[in-house]
């Protein structure tokens, strides 16, 4: 499987990652659609082989004869459940691993203002507000310079500066400068402050001569945090506003939860649509089989038996498609999380299974609404030859 191959081989760059992972999801989805008729046939054979009632035997044999027709009506259901399962598994795991840090963590007490190249040239040293360090409650003010080495993190600081800061990590033994992220935090665990940055090839003199990439302010109180933010906003109104990593993570978590809610809406809307498609398919099948069903009723077959046949012909492909689509969606999510983030998939919460169950229940209710047609279209008059 393509997604499994990328575990430990994460592509470099956003475009390469999008191509690798999206193509893997699409291949899985195509495989599910192509395997759908086979799954329907397998379920039908199990149903016919273990049938203890005439309804199960008839439904199993008919699905085995034409599994493509049985699966066609629920093919849209596979897409909805697969996409929702991938989204739910990925978002649930991401939020759990990147939730809000401790309030006393450096990720929550420090804020940074980054001067990205696309926003224009960075400020000169004289433009950095001198009053930042004088704010009561400000622990440190650090200038991160642009890393002249294109490899690794985009910023560079001297190891002497890191040793003074302490809370933002350390240099490896013997190094004079370190390659760091613009916020001095990077992707490390937000609940831990210990970190060893990779050494930079730049000398301290070269590093400090580079343009300023960011200003990082660490504080000991919320009032100091907000005063520093205000001062940086007034001094540099352009670009992204100063914020802490904790704030960005919390905002991302809220957005992910909103995307999850959107995925739930899509699933809840798609399942009834799939149920309506099944209902149309059932009604069409009943119309085509009016005479055979009428003859069965004349021979003494109970109406409830015929209703069981129709219901099982719909429920078997629906159940098979749902189970496999959810399972493959969670598997794809697990492989993506391992390859991209190194996380283990966390099981979705009860709300996910409740919504899947509610959606399937609505679909089954729509299917059940077609069953009263049997009484009206299988009367004795339909079995007449003339």
């Amino acid at each position: 499987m393509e997604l499994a191959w990328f575990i430990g081989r994460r592509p470099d760059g956003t475009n390469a990652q999008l191509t690798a992972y999206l193509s893997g999801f699409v291949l899985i989805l195509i495989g599910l659609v192509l395997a759908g008729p086979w799954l329907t046939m397998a379920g039908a054979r199990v149903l016919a082989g273990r049938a203890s009632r005439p309804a199960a035997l008839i439904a199993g044999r008919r699905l085995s004869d034409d599994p493509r027709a049985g699966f066609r009506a629920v093919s849209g259901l596979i897409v909805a459940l697969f996409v929702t399962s991938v989204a739910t598994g990925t978002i649930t795991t991401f939020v759990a691993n990147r939730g809000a840090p401790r309030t006393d963590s450096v990720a929550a007490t420090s804020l940074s203002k980054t001067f990205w190249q696309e926003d224009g040239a960075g400020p000169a040293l004289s433009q950095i507000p001198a009053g930042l360090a004088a704010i009561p409650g400000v622990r440190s003010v650090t200038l991160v310079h642009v890393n002249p080495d294109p490899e690794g993190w985009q910023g560079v600081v001297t190891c002497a500066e890191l040793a003074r800061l302490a809370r933002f990590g350390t240099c490896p033994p013997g190094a004079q400068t370190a390659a760091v992220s613009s916020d001095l935090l990077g992707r490390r665990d937000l609940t831990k402050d210990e970190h060893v940055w990779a050494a930079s090839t730049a000398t301290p003199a070269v590093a400090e001569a580079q343009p300023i990439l960011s200003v990082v302010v660490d504080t000991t109180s919320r009032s100091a945090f907000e005063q520093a933010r205000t001062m940086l906003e007034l001094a540099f109104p352009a670009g992204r506003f100063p914020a802490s990593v904790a704030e960005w993570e919390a905002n991302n978590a809220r957005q992910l939860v909103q995307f999850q809610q959107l995925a739930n809406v899509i699933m809840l809307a798609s399942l009834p649509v799939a149920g309506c498609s099944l209902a149309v398919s059932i009604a069409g099948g009943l119309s085509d089989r009016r005479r055979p069903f009428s003859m069965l009723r004349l021979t003494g077959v109970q109406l409830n038996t015929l209703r069981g046949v129709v219901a099982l012909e719909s429920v078997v492909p629906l159940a098979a498609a749902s189970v496999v689509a959810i399972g493959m969606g969670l598997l794809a999510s697990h492989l993506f999380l391992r390859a991209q983030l190194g996380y283990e998939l966390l099981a979705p919460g009860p709300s996910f299974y409740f919504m899947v169950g509610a959606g399937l229940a609505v679909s089954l209710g729509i299917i059940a609404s077609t069953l009263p047609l049997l009484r009206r279209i299988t009367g004795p008059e339909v079995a007449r030859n003339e």
Side-chain angles (χ1 to χ4, degrees):
M1 184 179 290
E2 182 187 5
L3 292 176
W5 188 86
F6 284 109
I7 296 178
R9 304 182 182 92
R10 187 177 67 179
D12 295 326
T14 302
N15 291 335
Q17 292 171 4
L18 286 174
T19 301
Y21 300 134
L22 285 179
S23 61
F25 292 139
V26 170
L27 287 174
I28 293 175
L29 191 55
I30 292 174
L32 285 173
V33 173
L34 293 178
W38 181 86
L39 291 171
T40 300
M41 183 176 63
R45 288 180 176 175
V46 171
L47 179 65
R50 299 187 177 183
S52 59
R53 296 177 179 274
L57 180 61
I58 296 172
R61 291 300 178 88
R62 184 171 184 275
L63 284 174
S64 297
D65 291 340
D66 193 3
R68 292 180 183 273
F71 173 76
R72 190 179 302 119
V74 299
S75 57
L77 180 68
I78 278 195
V79 177
L81 287 177
F82 176 78
V83 172
T84 303
S85 300
V86 171
T88 300
T90 302
I91 292 172
T92 299
T93 304
F94 187 90
V95 172
N97 282 274
R98 295 198 179 185
R102 301 189 318 257
T103 56
D104 62 340
S105 169
V106 67
T109 62
S110 66
L111 73 156
S112 62
K113 170 65 180 181
T114 303
F115 308 98
W116 298 112
Q117 185 177 4
E118 56 268 23
D119 296 330
L125 180 61
S126 59
Q127 294 176 290
I128 304 299
L132 277 175
I135 297 174
V138 168
R139 183 184 284 117
S140 64
V141 178
T142 307
L143 301 182
V144 179
H145 295 267
V146 175
N147 189 356
D149 187 353
E151 300 294 330
W153 288 105
Q154 65 272 36
V156 62
V157 295
T158 65
C159 291
E161 180 72 2
L162 275 183
R164 181 182 69 85
L165 299 173
R167 285 165 56 83
F168 290 97
T170 60
C171 285
Q176 292 184 308
T177 59
V180 298
S181 63
S182 63
D183 54 19
L184 288 178
L185 289 169
R187 290 190 296 264
R188 57 193 165 116
D189 188 345
L190 300 183
T191 63
K192 298 177 181 178
D193 296 331
E194 302 83 9
H195 185 71
V196 178
W197 296 99
S200 172
T201 57
T203 64
V206 171
E208 292 182 342
Q210 299 300 312
I212 294 176
L213 174 65
S214 64
V215 180
V216 180
V217 182
D218 190 22
T219 63
T220 59
S221 65
R222 193 64 195 177
S223 62
F225 184 98
E226 293 300 337
Q227 288 182 57
R229 192 208 305 265
T230 301
M231 189 173 293
L232 286 172
E233 283 183 311
L234 292 175
F236 309 108
R240 203 165 68 170
F241 67 92
S244 68
V245 170
E247 290 172 328
W248 290 114
E249 291 290 337
N251 183 60
N252 290 337
R254 285 193 296 270
Q255 290 181 341
L256 286 172
V257 170
Q258 291 171 354
F259 282 125
Q260 177 61 62
Q261 293 171 347
L262 178 61
N264 291 338
V265 170
I266 293 174
M267 181 187 69
L268 290 177
S270 300
L271 290 179
V273 169
C276 291
S277 177
L278 270 175
V280 172
S281 177
I282 293 170
L286 290 177
S287 179
D288 293 338
R289 291 184 291 166
R290 287 186 301 172
R291 182 174 174 79
F293 276 179
S294 298
M295 297 297 293
L296 286 174
R297 286 193 64 186
L298 287 176
T299 59
V301 176
Q302 298 293 321
L303 185 60
N304 286 338
T305 300
L306 296 180
R307 287 173 176 167
V309 172
V310 175
L312 287 172
E313 288 176 355
S314 305
V315 170
V316 169
L318 183 65
S322 301
V323 171
V324 175
I326 293 172
M328 292 304 297
L330 294 178
L331 175 61
S333 175
H334 170 71
L335 295 175
F336 165 74
L337 290 166
R338 286 287 308 278
Q340 178 67 9
L341 302 171
Y343 296 157
E344 295 288 340
L345 175 69
L346 298 180
S351 60
F352 169 71
Y353 300 103
F354 173 78
M355 296 190 70
V356 170
L360 291 176
V362 171
S363 299
L364 294 175
I366 294 174
I367 294 171
S369 67
T370 64
L371 298 182
L373 289 173
L374 271 172
R375 181 183 295 277
R376 295 198 294 268
I377 67 174
T378 59
E381 65 280 1
V382 180
R384 297 176 60 182
N385 291 324
E386 63 277 5

